Amino acid sequence: MVLGVKFKILLIGLAALAVPVLAGEYHHAGAGMVCSDCHVMHASKQGQAQEPSEFLLKQSEQVPLCLSCHDGTDPSAPDIVSNGSSAAPSSVVSTPYTSKYGSSAGVFQGDTTVAMGGTGHSLAGPATAPLSSGYSKPAGLSCSDCHDTHGSTNYRNLVSDPNPGHAGSFPITLGTNVAEAIAVNAANPNPSAAYNTENVSFYAVGNVRGWCTDCHDQLAQDAQSTAPAHFSAHPSEVAIGGSGSHTSLSNWLTGTISDASGFGTGIGDGVPGIPRLRFGSPTGSNTFTSPGDTVSCLSCHKAHGSSYRHGLIWPYKTDANDGNAGCQQCHGK
């Protein structure tokens, strides 16, 4: 009888787990994903002995579990792992992204779980955020530091507060802070189209700055400074056409391909200029430019990382032709 009661309680618990979670477009239980994609009921899998893991995950650690789908082996999941290493970084992934800038969030290097790298956020070893007043993770970063694995109302399951030890909450929602030309199709996944950089655009004030500076809080300075500096750091989510910004609005708006404009058709092709940087616009469009356009952290950096140092989207100061191209697009010096 006692066993029956325990079994009844177990069924009630499972029924509670079956309630749909806030997943938006991602990890949607109603579109093919089930609990057993990530969890096992007992500390075993397919009859094979397995060491018990926290939360009964199918892998002993969170990062390998996430990368078991997001490493290009599952065509229905976005590929965020390149074939490069920390010593020889690359942006080449198994899932082909047609945009010149590839995946909108960028990529980790293939050895990211075992080697520290300087090309973006690292998933290996203790993590101390640069330009931070104290954010650190002695055990290293995990996917859930930035994403809610079961889902959230935020874009791409982002958490609203990546640094609970720092004041503020910064929701980033689809249709308010960020836009997609082609929506993610949960029933018939289309990551190679939906996760392309050219498919994702931002609104002029998209909470991106606040989200990133929740950890990198020493960057959160957009206030006017003592002349002639004007700003105490590079401004973000400030209109490119604003006064005192030392920008060339005409250069930005026209986007003419030339040796001096910063605009080009490729990266590392031996010709000065790179494709237009990502920007925020009053309408959320990444196609039409205006004086109210803004730049933010994600204009110059990839969230996961890239083949260039600091997760930059172009080889800043390290390429004779493209080294200053991104800067030139706004400033036209």
Side-chain angles (χ1 to χ4, degrees), residues 6 14 19 38 41 52 71 106 116 220 222 239 267-268 280 298 315 318 320:
K6 289 184 177 179
L14 290 176
V19 175
C38 298
M41 180 57 69
D71 61 353
M116 299 289 285
D222 281 342
I267 306 174
L298 297 183
T318 62

Side-chain angles (χ1 to χ4, degrees), residues 26-181:
Y26 316 98
H27 288 192
H28 198 291
M33 287 197 71
V34 294
C35 305
S36 59
D37 286 336
C38 298
H39 301 274
V40 292
M41 180 57 69
H42 306 108
S44 62
K45 181 174 65 174
Q46 296 178 345
Q48 301 297 317
Q50 176 179 311
E51 291 296 324
S53 62
E54 191 175 19
F55 307 122
L56 291 175
L57 295 175
K58 293 176 73 172
Q59 300 266 5
S60 59
E61 296 179 2
Q62 181 190 122
V63 172
L65 174 64
C66 297
L67 296 185
S68 66
C69 287
H70 293 283
D71 61 353
T73 57
D74 184 344
S76 66
D79 184 3
I80 62 170
V81 180
S82 78
N83 64 3
S85 67
S86 59
S90 167
S91 292
V92 179
V93 293
S94 301
T95 301
Y97 297 102
T98 58
S99 167
K100 292 291 178 64
Y101 286 133
S103 165
S104 60
V107 293
F108 297 103
Q109 299 306 310
D111 62 351
T112 188
T113 60
V114 295
M116 299 289 285
T119 57
H121 289 107
S122 179
L123 298 176
T128 299
L131 297 169
S132 169
S133 61
Y135 179 84
S136 64
K137 293 284 296 214
L141 288 175
S142 293
C143 307
S144 60
D145 288 315
C146 297
H147 300 275
D148 189 323
T149 52
H150 284 152
S152 75
T153 56
N154 288 330
Y155 185 61
R156 297 194 178 176
N157 287 356
L158 289 170
V159 298
S160 294
D161 186 10
N163 182 6
H166 191 261
S169 179
F170 309 94
I172 299 178
T173 58
L174 187 65
T176 300
N177 309 107
V178 65
E180 291 178 336

Side-chain angles (χ1 to χ4, degrees), residues 29 248 262 282 284:
S248 173

